[in-house]
Amino acid sequence: MGTFIGHISPGLAFLSFGILYAFKFSLMVLRGEKIQLVSAARPRGYRSCLRRIPAEGVMKIVYGTLAVMAEFFYPPGVNKLIIYNKEQPDHPFIHPNEWQHVTMYSYFALSGWVDIISQACLPRRLFLLENIAITLAFYTQALILHSHMHGKERVENSVHTLLLLACFLVCLILTVEIWRPNDHVLWFTKTCLVMTQGTWLLHAAFILYKPFTGKPWKSDDMANLMFVTNFFCWHIALNTILLLAIFSLTGLWLSRCSCRGSGSALPNTKTLNSYLKWADGTGVPSEHDKLQAVEEEIQLLQECDF
Amino acid sequence: MGTFIGHISPGLAFLSFGILYAFKFSLMVLRGEKIQLVSAARPRGYRSCLRRIPAEGVMKIVYGTLAVMAEFFYPPGVNKLIIYNKEQPDHPFIHPNEWQHVTMYSYFALSGWVDIISQACLPRRLFLLENIAITLAFYTQALILHSHMHGKERVENSVHTLLLLACFLVCLILTVEIWRPNDHVLWFTKTCLVMTQGTWLLHAAFILYKPFTGKPWKSDDMANLMFVTNFFCWHIALNTILLLAIFSLTGLWLSRCSCRGSGSALPNTKTLNSYLKWADGTGVPSEHDKLQAVEEEIQLLQECDF
Amino acid sequence: MGTFIGHISPGLAFLSFGILYAFKFSLMVLRGEKIQLVSAARPRGYRSCLRRIPAEGVMKIVYGTLAVMAEFFYPPGVNKLIIYNKEQPDHPFIHPNEWQHVTMYSYFALSGWVDIISQACLPRRLFLLENIAITLAFYTQALILHSHMHGKERVENSVHTLLLLACFLVCLILTVEIWRPNDHVLWFTKTCLVMTQGTWLLHAAFILYKPFTGKPWKSDDMANLMFVTNFFCWHIALNTILLLAIFSLTGLWLSRCSCRGSGSALPNTKTLNSYLKWADGTGVPSEHDKLQAVEEEIQLLQECDF
Amino acid sequence: MGTFIGHISPGLAFLSFGILYAFKFSLMVLRGEKIQLVSAARPRGYRSCLRRIPAEGVMKIVYGTLAVMAEFFYPPGVNKLIIYNKEQPDHPFIHPNEWQHVTMYSYFALSGWVDIISQACLPRRLFLLENIAITLAFYTQALILHSHMHGKERVENSVHTLLLLACFLVCLILTVEIWRPNDHVLWFTKTCLVMTQGTWLLHAAFILYKPFTGKPWKSDDMANLMFVTNFFCWHIALNTILLLAIFSLTGLWLSRCSCRGSGSALPNTKTLNSYLKWADGTGVPSEHDKLQAVEEEIQLLQECDF
């Protein structure tokens, strides 16, 4: 929906995912956890399956499906679930914006289904499948954003180009993560970019549909185009600071928890150590680690006899 | 040929190659096979040579040569095997589209000949040569597609740009495969993109030459351009699902075959195990594997004394 | 400031950083030093903290803050610290150039603060944080330079495009350095590009605001655009020679110092050896080195008990 | 020189370098030689220094210097060694084409000097320096080719864009070769591209200045632009075949030489073996090789005591 609410809602969705990722990856880094490409065999049965359903996947499905519904049937009484106008003689396509949005949202919903199937239903979690599904969703978003700009004003295009930039960088990072899933710099860069996509969409809604001055931004004023880029740079800075704050908060909360739990100073040291380990181990995924990971996986495969 | 049949036929060719690849790579993954850069020494002689002729190479040659013939001599009675018009005073070039298509098809036919020479005639199969030949064919296709768009309508250009995108991604993957020939993610991404090229060409034939409404798509209607991208995204999704279906079918067929053959449940486990191995071993080609591969090759070279 | 002094001052800043880097990296290469991702634990206390404050960080903060001040309040009496004009009815944005420059300079100042916090305040230096901060500053510069060109003359755009090229290459190198911080070729390429940015800004100030002929360069004269590229190529050559000169000077000075210090020829040999080691060790960061680095870091982490 | 001879002469230069590279790299591959980043210590003295002067470096200097001279003083009697016209009141730049060509040629001549200094004068050959010099030369060529196209006809631009493509790919390969100097696929791709640049420049001279029909190609005819790309694709195919022919010839000549020399079939086997080794060892520079290379270099450094 090329409306105020049509930009606010995906903005909030991206922002909530960004914040979720920020907490998730901070926890994983501070605890020294790693993404396992194939998890250990899990108990079967309907119950344990239900218990394993991931929040992230459900969020994706709910958001995606709601957005698709809204595109077609919002405001209530409207039905846009038609591709071409049968009444006109040459059957022209109608609702191109809506169908493009629907395509985008469907891919994200699909990625949610893949998450659930992989994490809850399959005998083992296949991280690779989940990663490929979300990568595909972002690539589709980039492709559609690119063709979304035909015949629009320069300010709107400028706003969308910057969104496309953030989206395309996420695509690149996700592609690299297929081969390097445990690189901490990539984790946090991705998180920051997703958060930036969110806040930028929120800001874009105001720029395009509710400018504070009450009058739409003029496209022939160069100052406007230059300030759009400026604002985007400030969004990056703000989201970086927000990310640092979430990381620090998680660190603090984790050290408190462990203090209360064991009543000793040791866990604190451990947290700090793992933080340092993060800081120096990130860049160079050592051969040592790789070999260890391989050994663990081989052991895993040998243990299971189903 | 800038005609309906001129887009349908390469579409079918790409699609058939894509499906062939899908089965081939599924089998290789499920059986845990690897591409060997240099095969073991093979028996000589005219007969064994003939027996080794690969279907893929023959397909490429037959398709390529037929297409070249069709470009020049179809419909029957026509002869387009001339580059410039001798009758006009300044000898202008004629049939530019035909000659560009011929160049493309020739490279694919050439790649077929290289496949046959490498797999059937040489004392050992040189996978590298085959890979370079097909890479060159796709790069040429990309280059020609890029210059193919001069002076055409926007809808036609939009369709060809998306085809170029798929083609260029195949080029990139093939280039990376020169150094990483056994990466499973690359195998299946390549397969999916080749299939998408095929189905997209089929769709393009209808969009450009046989629109369902009976009237050509208007180039000045933004909705048309936006729907072109939309359709392309749906093609990607459909081909991904088709690929998953082929993979599952192959897995099923393989486990059935082995059950009937040995009458035990063991092969089934093995298939599942190798599937899991695929799922986790893909991303990180471990040092261990590399060293092992090197050792195998060294052993191979030491064994042969011709 | 789109003025003569507004291009001279950042030019001098980049040039001084470039020369600083040239000496720093020459010394590190000739002494065989490496960047440590996490330094050893350092003495605490206010004093030792102050002693560790890096010149580079202070330079960044001073330059950045002064530049921000100058953008807003130079010439004296002017106040440009306002985003939009309240007097006009539609509140148009004003001072877009100034705000873009301020954004750029702030990121560099921020990077200076991160340098100081990491090198002086934290219990251990976290090189990764510093690297990410400066990378972000250069990416922001590239983004703003890109949008800086709206509605300007062709000569000015040509000059800025070449600056953007140098800036973007620095971005790419810094990104790679996050994962390969000790690659000598990257160190010196980065240094040369930063120096080129500096001298090119100095030259640009003269081209745009004080042409030697006294008349501004005509934008419709192709010869002007072609000479702009030409001059840029000469800047690269000059800066490469300057870099070689600094490297040789540092080598000479180092060998003299060590001769005087120990009174023997040995250190000289060592310097030459490390130079050769540089020459051949650069390209291939051997597995051996990596493993050693990992071991050192593990040892480091085991030693510290805070 | 934007003339027939001004395109023929660099074309011949590039072609001769390409053919030289083809023989050189074929020999190196068939003999199993490797580029050593730092050679063993060499005998000093004026004589041995002269004997080591490389043909390639001398060729670069001679070609480059002659071309620079021709740009300025050809046809005889002309002097173009002036940058701006002092006679006109606003001192406009003159001879932009000539100065751009001079810049290009100077970088190649400079690269020749670096070759000679590194291979003949320094106590050890520093391959890295030579590689960086030639890389810089090609990057400069790409940059100047890019800005060379202002205000020219579409056919001329099309021809130059394809030249730029070949040149830029050489740049990329040379950049990668700084870190992977012994990759055989890169060696031959580079060779093929340099040869293509040569033959394409020869063809371009005829297209632009001596068309076979006697009349210049019309820029508004799309067929012309499409045939330019077509011709370029044929150049790639022809040069690939030429490269294969040179490789085979070198192999034949080498096996004959060694047969005559030792009178046995063994060297032949060795040649074939090394050929196979090339074919399979190229893609995957094994860890084993890397470690071995490192060990060799360490040994080298320990042996020398100057």
Side-chain angles (χ1 to χ4, degrees):
Chain A
M1 292 173 291
T3 59
F4 180 69
I5 200 74
H7 282 73
I8 287 288
S9 51
L12 286 174
F14 276 118
L15 189 58
S16 59
F17 273 107
I19 291 172
L20 185 76
Y21 283 169
F23 279 110
K24 178 178 144 192
F25 289 128
S26 299
L27 267 178
M28 286 182 72
V29 162
L30 290 166
R31 280 180 180 157
E33 287 173 8
K34 284 192 169 187
I35 286 171
Q36 280 186 305
L37 292 175
V38 177
S39 69
R42 297 175 297 195
R44 294 192 174 186
Y46 195 65
R47 272 202 171 170
S48 71
C49 181
L50 270 181
R51 229 179 301 134
R52 280 197 306 264
I53 285 178
E56 204 184 313
V58 174
M59 271 166 73
K60 280 182 198 166
I61 293 170
V62 171
Y63 284 6
T65 314
L66 279 182
V68 165
M69 290 296 114
E71 288 290 337
F72 283 141
F73 308 115
Y74 184 88
V78 163
N79 179 7
K80 295 182 180 167
L81 188 46
I82 37 173
I83 281 196
Y84 56 88
N85 191 340
K86 290 178 190 171
E87 290 163 18
Q88 286 188 27
D90 57 345
H91 300 298
F93 286 114
I94 47 176
H95 308 309
N97 279 308
E98 280 75 11
W99 279 99
Q100 288 208 330
H101 291 141
V102 162
T103 306
M104 275 198 257
Y105 296 139
S106 309
Y107 268 97
F108 281 101
L110 213 79
S111 153
W113 284 112
V114 171
D115 282 8
I116 289 180
I117 289 171
S118 155
Q119 289 181 38
C121 310
L122 288 183
R124 286 149 186 284
R125 179 179 174 183
L126 295 176
F127 174 73
L128 191 63
L129 272 188
E130 298 172 38
N131 200 358
I132 285 172
I134 189 71
T135 309
L136 206 58
F138 272 99
Y139 270 110
T140 311
Q141 197 204 342
L143 195 59
I144 284 181
L145 267 177
H146 182 75
S147 91
H148 208 57
M149 291 183 273
H150 291 306
K152 292 198 175 142
E153 294 273 333
R154 282 188 76 179
V155 166
E156 193 166 354
N157 277 353
S158 203
V159 168
H160 277 101
T161 305
L162 290 166
L163 188 65
L164 177 57
L165 179 70
C167 176
F168 186 66
L169 289 176
V170 174
C171 290
L172 285 187
I173 291 174
L174 284 168
T175 309
V176 175
E177 277 193 334
I178 293 177
W179 288 274
R180 300 187 67 169
N182 280 308
D183 192 307
H184 297 174
V185 175
L186 292 184
W187 284 357
F188 287 108
T189 314
K190 183 176 71 179
T191 304
C192 184
L193 284 166
V194 170
M195 279 158 68
T196 305
Q197 268 188 282
T199 59
W200 184 243
L201 270 166
L202 294 181
H203 197 162
F206 284 98
I207 289 177
L208 298 176
Y209 304 102
K210 284 204 182 163
F212 291 112
T213 61
K215 294 182 185 178
W217 290 31
K218 286 182 199 154
S219 270
D220 50 351
D221 188 354
M222 285 312 140
N224 285 339
L225 296 176
M226 288 166 84
F227 264 101
V228 167
T229 312
N230 235 356
F231 287 144
F232 188 74
C233 292
W234 299 352
H235 275 264
I236 293 174
L238 286 175
N239 282 301
T240 310
I241 291 166
L242 181 55
L243 185 57
L244 278 177
I246 291 178
F247 185 80
S248 310
L249 271 177
T250 317
L252 229 92
W253 173 75
L254 211 69
S255 62
R256 275 210 175 178
C257 274
S258 50
C259 279
R260 226 184 296 154
S262 64
S264 82
L266 245 157
N268 196 354
T269 312
K270 203 180 156 194
T271 307
L272 271 160
N273 262 344
S274 64
Y275 174 76
L276 282 168
K277 208 165 180 177
W278 164 66
D280 77 331
T282 320
V284 197
S286 60
E287 299 310 304
H288 186 255
D289 283 5
K290 274 190 197 165
L291 284 171
Q292 206 179 348
V294 171
E295 275 162 23
E296 279 166 11
E297 276 157 18
I298 290 168
Q299 210 177 355
L300 200 87
L301 282 165
Q302 284 168 344
E303 272 168 13
C304 59
D305 43 3
F306 56 97
Chain B
M1 292 174 290
T3 60
F4 180 70
I5 200 74
H7 281 73
I8 287 288
S9 51
L12 287 174
F14 275 116
L15 188 59
S16 61
F17 273 107
I19 291 173
L20 185 76
Y21 283 168
F23 279 110
K24 178 178 144 194
F25 288 128
S26 299
L27 268 178
M28 285 181 74
V29 162
L30 290 166
R31 281 181 180 157
E33 288 173 7
K34 283 191 169 187
I35 286 172
Q36 280 186 305
L37 292 175
V38 177
S39 69
R42 297 177 294 196
R44 295 194 174 184
Y46 193 66
R47 273 205 171 168
S48 69
C49 180
L50 270 180
R51 228 179 303 135
R52 280 196 306 264
I53 285 178
E56 205 184 313
V58 174
M59 269 166 75
K60 280 181 197 167
I61 293 171
V62 170
Y63 284 6
T65 315
L66 279 181
V68 166
M69 291 295 116
E71 288 290 336
F72 283 141
F73 307 115
Y74 184 88
V78 163
N79 181 7
K80 294 182 180 167
L81 188 48
I82 38 174
I83 282 196
Y84 56 89
N85 191 340
K86 289 179 190 170
E87 290 163 18
Q88 286 187 28
D90 56 347
H91 300 298
F93 287 114
I94 48 176
H95 308 310
N97 278 309
E98 281 75 11
W99 279 99
Q100 289 208 331
H101 292 141
V102 162
T103 306
M104 275 198 258
Y105 296 141
S106 310
Y107 267 97
F108 280 102
L110 212 79
S111 153
W113 284 113
V114 171
D115 282 9
I116 288 180
I117 289 170
S118 156
Q119 289 181 38
C121 309
L122 288 184
R124 285 150 187 284
R125 179 178 174 184
L126 295 175
F127 174 73
L128 191 63
L129 271 189
E130 298 171 38
N131 200 0
I132 286 173
I134 189 71
T135 309
L136 205 58
F138 271 100
Y139 270 110
T140 310
Q141 197 204 342
L143 195 58
I144 283 180
L145 268 176
H146 182 76
S147 90
H148 209 57
M149 291 183 272
H150 290 305
K152 294 201 173 139
E153 294 273 333
R154 281 187 78 179
V155 166
E156 192 165 356
N157 277 352
S158 204
V159 168
H160 278 101
T161 305
L162 290 167
L163 188 64
L164 176 57
L165 180 71
C167 176
F168 186 66
L169 289 175
V170 174
C171 290
L172 285 187
I173 291 174
L174 284 168
T175 308
V176 176
E177 277 193 333
I178 293 177
W179 288 275
R180 301 187 67 169
N182 279 308
D183 192 307
H184 297 175
V185 175
L186 292 184
W187 284 357
F188 286 108
T189 314
K190 183 176 71 178
T191 304
C192 184
L193 284 166
V194 170
M195 279 158 68
T196 305
Q197 268 189 281
T199 58
W200 184 243
L201 270 165
L202 294 180
H203 197 161
F206 284 98
I207 290 177
L208 299 176
Y209 303 102
K210 286 204 181 163
F212 291 112
T213 61
K215 295 183 185 178
W217 290 32
K218 285 182 199 154
S219 269
D220 50 352
D221 187 355
M222 286 310 140
N224 286 339
L225 296 177
M226 287 167 84
F227 264 101
V228 166
T229 313
N230 235 356
F231 287 144
F232 188 74
C233 291
W234 298 351
H235 275 263
I236 293 173
L238 286 176
N239 282 300
T240 310
I241 290 165
L242 182 55
L243 184 56
L244 278 176
I246 291 178
F247 185 79
S248 313
L249 271 177
T250 317
L252 231 92
W253 174 75
L254 210 68
S255 62
R256 274 210 177 179
C257 274
S258 49
C259 279
R260 224 185 296 157
S262 65
S264 83
L266 245 159
N268 197 354
T269 313
K270 203 180 156 192
T271 306
L272 271 161
N273 262 345
S274 64
Y275 173 76
L276 282 168
K277 209 167 180 175
W278 163 67
D280 78 332
T282 320
V284 197
S286 60
E287 298 310 305
H288 185 255
D289 283 5
K290 275 191 196 163
L291 284 171
Q292 206 179 348
V294 172
E295 275 161 23
E296 279 167 11
E297 276 156 19
I298 290 167
Q299 212 178 352
L300 200 86
L301 282 165
Q302 284 167 344
E303 274 169 11
C304 59
D305 43 4
F306 56 99
Chain C
M1 292 173 291
T3 60
F4 180 69
I5 201 72
H7 282 73
I8 287 288
S9 50
L12 287 173
F14 276 117
L15 188 58
S16 59
F17 273 107
I19 291 173
L20 185 77
Y21 282 168
F23 279 110
K24 178 177 142 192
F25 289 128
S26 299
L27 267 177
M28 286 181 73
V29 162
L30 290 166
R31 280 179 179 158
E33 288 174 8
K34 283 192 169 186
I35 287 171
Q36 280 188 305
L37 292 175
V38 177
S39 69
R42 297 177 295 196
R44 294 195 175 184
Y46 194 65
R47 272 204 171 167
S48 69
C49 181
L50 270 181
R51 227 178 303 134
R52 281 196 305 263
I53 285 177
E56 205 184 313
V58 174
M59 270 166 75
K60 278 181 198 166
I61 293 171
V62 170
Y63 283 5
T65 315
L66 279 182
V68 166
M69 291 295 115
E71 288 290 335
F72 283 141
F73 308 116
Y74 184 88
V78 162
N79 179 7
K80 295 182 180 167
L81 188 46
I82 39 175
I83 281 195
Y84 56 89
N85 192 341
K86 290 179 191 170
E87 291 163 16
Q88 286 188 27
D90 56 345
H91 300 298
F93 286 114
I94 48 174
H95 309 309
N97 279 308
E98 280 74 12
W99 279 98
Q100 288 207 330
H101 291 141
V102 162
T103 306
M104 276 198 257
Y105 296 141
S106 310
Y107 267 96
F108 280 102
L110 213 78
S111 154
W113 284 110
V114 171
D115 282 9
I116 288 180
I117 289 171
S118 155
Q119 289 182 37
C121 309
L122 289 184
R124 285 150 187 283
R125 179 179 175 183
L126 294 176
F127 174 73
L128 191 64
L129 272 188
E130 298 172 37
N131 200 359
I132 286 173
I134 189 71
T135 309
L136 205 57
F138 271 99
Y139 270 110
T140 311
Q141 196 204 342
L143 194 59
I144 284 181
L145 267 177
H146 182 75
S147 91
H148 208 58
M149 290 184 273
H150 290 305
K152 291 194 175 146
E153 295 272 334
R154 281 188 77 177
V155 166
E156 193 165 355
N157 276 353
S158 204
V159 167
H160 277 101
T161 305
L162 290 167
L163 189 65
L164 176 57
L165 180 71
C167 176
F168 187 65
L169 289 176
V170 173
C171 290
L172 286 187
I173 292 175
L174 284 167
T175 308
V176 176
E177 276 193 333
I178 293 177
W179 289 274
R180 300 187 68 169
N182 279 309
D183 191 307
H184 296 175
V185 176
L186 292 183
W187 284 357
F188 286 108
T189 314
K190 183 177 71 178
T191 304
C192 184
L193 284 166
V194 170
M195 280 159 68
T196 305
Q197 267 188 284
T199 59
W200 184 243
L201 270 166
L202 294 181
H203 197 162
F206 284 98
I207 290 177
L208 299 175
Y209 303 102
K210 284 204 181 164
F212 291 113
T213 59
K215 296 180 184 178
W217 290 31
K218 286 180 199 155
S219 270
D220 50 351
D221 188 354
M222 286 310 141
N224 286 338
L225 296 177
M226 288 167 83
F227 264 102
V228 166
T229 312
N230 235 355
F231 286 144
F232 187 74
C233 291
W234 299 353
H235 275 263
I236 294 173
L238 286 175
N239 282 301
T240 310
I241 291 166
L242 182 55
L243 185 57
L244 279 176
I246 292 178
F247 185 80
S248 312
L249 270 177
T250 317
L252 229 93
W253 174 76
L254 210 69
S255 62
R256 274 209 176 178
C257 274
S258 51
C259 279
R260 226 184 295 156
S262 64
S264 82
L266 245 158
N268 197 353
T269 312
K270 203 179 156 193
T271 307
L272 272 160
N273 263 346
S274 65
Y275 173 77
L276 282 168
K277 208 166 180 176
W278 163 67
D280 78 331
T282 321
V284 196
S286 60
E287 299 309 304
H288 185 256
D289 282 6
K290 275 190 196 165
L291 284 171
Q292 205 178 350
V294 172
E295 275 161 24
E296 278 167 12
E297 276 157 18
I298 289 168
Q299 210 178 355
L300 200 87
L301 282 165
Q302 284 168 344
E303 272 168 10
C304 60
D305 43 2
F306 55 98
Chain D
M1 293 174 289
T3 59
F4 181 69
I5 200 72
H7 281 73
I8 287 287
S9 51
L12 287 174
F14 275 116
L15 189 57
S16 60
F17 273 108
I19 291 173
L20 185 77
Y21 283 168
F23 279 110
K24 178 178 143 192
F25 289 128
S26 298
L27 267 178
M28 286 181 72
V29 162
L30 290 166
R31 280 180 181 157
E33 287 173 8
K34 282 191 170 185
I35 287 172
Q36 281 187 306
L37 292 175
V38 177
S39 70
R42 297 177 294 198
R44 294 194 175 184
Y46 195 66
R47 273 203 169 170
S48 70
C49 181
L50 271 181
R51 227 177 304 134
R52 281 197 305 264
I53 284 178
E56 204 183 314
V58 174
M59 269 165 75
K60 279 181 198 167
I61 293 171
V62 171
Y63 284 6
T65 315
L66 278 182
V68 166
M69 290 296 115
E71 288 291 336
F72 283 142
F73 308 115
Y74 183 88
V78 163
N79 179 6
K80 295 181 179 168
L81 188 47
I82 38 173
I83 282 196
Y84 56 89
N85 191 340
K86 290 179 190 170
E87 290 163 16
Q88 287 187 27
D90 57 346
H91 300 297
F93 286 114
I94 46 175
H95 308 309
N97 279 308
E98 281 75 11
W99 279 99
Q100 289 208 330
H101 291 141
V102 162
T103 306
M104 274 198 258
Y105 296 140
S106 310
Y107 267 97
F108 280 101
L110 213 79
S111 155
W113 284 112
V114 171
D115 281 9
I116 288 180
I117 289 170
S118 156
Q119 289 181 38
C121 308
L122 289 183
R124 285 150 187 284
R125 178 178 175 185
L126 295 175
F127 174 74
L128 191 64
L129 271 188
E130 298 172 37
N131 200 358
I132 286 173
I134 189 71
T135 308
L136 205 58
F138 271 99
Y139 269 110
T140 310
Q141 197 204 341
L143 194 58
I144 283 182
L145 268 177
H146 182 76
S147 91
H148 209 57
M149 290 183 272
H150 290 305
K152 291 196 176 144
E153 293 274 333
R154 282 188 77 179
V155 166
E156 193 166 354
N157 277 352
S158 204
V159 168
H160 278 100
T161 306
L162 290 167
L163 188 64
L164 176 57
L165 180 70
C167 176
F168 186 66
L169 289 176
V170 174
C171 290
L172 286 187
I173 292 175
L174 284 168
T175 308
V176 175
E177 278 194 333
I178 292 176
W179 289 274
R180 299 187 70 170
N182 279 308
D183 191 308
H184 296 175
V185 176
L186 293 183
W187 283 357
F188 286 109
T189 314
K190 183 176 71 179
T191 304
C192 184
L193 284 167
V194 170
M195 279 159 68
T196 304
Q197 268 189 282
T199 58
W200 185 243
L201 269 165
L202 294 181
H203 197 162
F206 283 97
I207 289 176
L208 299 175
Y209 303 103
K210 284 204 183 164
F212 290 113
T213 60
K215 296 182 185 177
W217 290 31
K218 286 180 199 155
S219 270
D220 50 352
D221 187 354
M222 286 310 142
N224 286 338
L225 296 176
M226 287 167 83
F227 264 102
V228 166
T229 313
N230 236 355
F231 286 144
F232 188 73
C233 291
W234 299 352
H235 274 264
I236 293 173
L238 287 176
N239 282 301
T240 310
I241 291 165
L242 182 55
L243 185 57
L244 279 176
I246 291 177
F247 185 79
S248 311
L249 271 177
T250 318
L252 230 92
W253 173 75
L254 211 68
S255 62
R256 275 211 176 176
C257 273
S258 51
C259 279
R260 224 184 297 156
S262 65
S264 82
L266 245 158
N268 198 353
T269 313
K270 203 179 157 193
T271 306
L272 272 159
N273 263 346
S274 66
Y275 173 76
L276 283 168
K277 208 166 180 176
W278 164 67
D280 79 331
T282 321
V284 197
S286 59
E287 300 309 304
H288 185 255
D289 283 5
K290 275 190 197 165
L291 284 171
Q292 205 180 349
V294 171
E295 275 161 23
E296 279 166 11
E297 275 157 19
I298 290 168
Q299 211 179 353
L300 200 87
L301 282 166
Q302 284 169 343
E303 273 169 11
C304 60
D305 43 4
F306 57 98

